[in-house]
């Protein structure tokens, strides 16, 4: 009997709490009787107040934080930055970076014709056509700048000017 009375009291308390929450949620939409009065005449005048502007100079960032490289500005951009709005800015001297043209060697035409396997694994011979001549190579040998790195049944791994490529048979 005592357990039944405690359950009834707890149910009444829970319903009271949820009723209060529901009333407050719905009261702001439906039961609001407040009226808002808007004054059409402003009670202040802006003629007596002056706003002082805070001015400052932004410094040029000389390093790109994402690429971790120094930035180079052209002279026309440096001159345009000093003319803008009459603000004197400190400009760093312009550094010109002269890049040496790199010798680009293109991959020669290469065709893989297969391999000859003998009893030992190190005796595999690979048939490659480089340019117009056919060569028999072992792993690690070099022909016209091409180095044979790895040999598989259906493909080979070649490197040329520190660039690696896989070449399939056919």
């Amino acid at each position: 009997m005592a357990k039944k009375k405690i359950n009834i009291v707890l149910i009444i308390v829970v319903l009271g709490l949820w009723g209060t929450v529901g009333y407050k949620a719905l009261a702001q939409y439906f039961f609001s009787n407040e009226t808002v009065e808007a004054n059409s005449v402003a009670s202040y005048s802006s003629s007596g107040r002056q706003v002082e502007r805070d001015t400052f100079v932004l410094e040029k960032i000389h390093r790109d934080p994402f690429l971790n490289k120094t930035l180079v500005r052209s002279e026309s951009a440096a001159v345009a930055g000093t003319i803008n709005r009459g603000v004197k800015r400190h400009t760093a001297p312009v550094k010109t970076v002269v890049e040496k043209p790199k010798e680009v060697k293109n991959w020669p035409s290469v065709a893989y014709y297969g391999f000859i396997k003998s009893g030992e694994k190190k005796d595999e011979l690979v048939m490659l056509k480089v340019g117009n001549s056919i060569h028999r190579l072992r792993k690690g040998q070099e022909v016209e700048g091409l180095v044979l790195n790895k040999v598989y049944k259906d493909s080979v791994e070649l490197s040329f000017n520190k660039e690696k490529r896989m070449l399939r048979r056919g």
Side-chain angles (χ1 to χ4, degrees):
M1 188 72 176
K3 189 175 181 182
K4 189 175 182 180
K5 289 181 182 180
I6 291 174
N7 283 343
I8 292 173
V9 170
L10 288 176
I11 288 173
I12 292 172
V13 169
V14 168
L15 288 175
L17 288 174
W18 277 110
T20 305
V21 170
Y23 175 77
K24 288 189 177 187
L26 295 175
Q28 63 183 339
Y29 295 112
F30 298 111
F31 307 120
S32 177
N33 290 332
E34 297 178 12
T35 57
V36 178
E37 295 179 20
N39 292 336
S40 62
V41 179
S43 63
Y44 64 92
S45 64
S46 62
S47 62
R49 299 172 64 190
Q50 286 189 348
V51 177
E52 289 188 33
R53 294 187 180 184
D54 185 19
T55 59
F56 54 91
V57 178
L58 295 176
E59 294 294 325
K60 173 73 175 127
I61 299 174
H62 298 287
R63 187 181 69 81
D64 188 354
F66 301 106
L67 298 176
N68 203 12
K69 294 182 181 180
T70 56
L71 299 174
V72 179
R73 272 177 66 181
S74 64
E75 290 183 28
S76 62
V79 171
T82 58
I83 296 172
N84 192 9
R85 294 188 191 133
V87 176
K88 295 181 182 178
R89 295 181 182 167
H90 173 71
T91 58
V94 178
K95 297 178 185 177
T96 57
V97 177
V98 179
E99 293 184 19
K100 296 179 184 176
K102 297 179 182 178
E103 264 187 54
V104 177
K105 292 184 180 178
N106 293 330
W107 277 73
S109 62
V110 181
Y112 172 52
Y113 289 117
F115 71 98
I116 302 169
K117 183 177 182 181
S118 66
E120 297 180 19
K121 184 125 178 149
K122 64 180 179 179
D123 287 337
E124 291 178 340
L125 274 174
V126 175
M127 301 288 290
L128 287 178
K129 182 176 181 182
V130 180
N132 291 328
S133 58
I134 295 178
H135 298 279
R136 291 176 293 184
L137 298 173
R138 293 194 191 326
K139 184 178 175 182
Q141 285 185 331
E142 179 180 345
V143 171
E144 298 181 21
L146 284 172
V147 178
L148 181 63
N149 293 335
K150 294 181 182 177
V151 178
Y152 302 104
K153 288 182 179 180
D154 63 340
S155 61
V156 291
E157 183 179 301
L158 300 170
S159 63
F160 182 74
N161 287 341
K162 299 179 181 177
E163 182 181 351
K164 293 183 180 180
R165 287 190 186 173
M166 292 293 291
L167 185 66
R168 297 202 178 271
R169 192 170 99 197

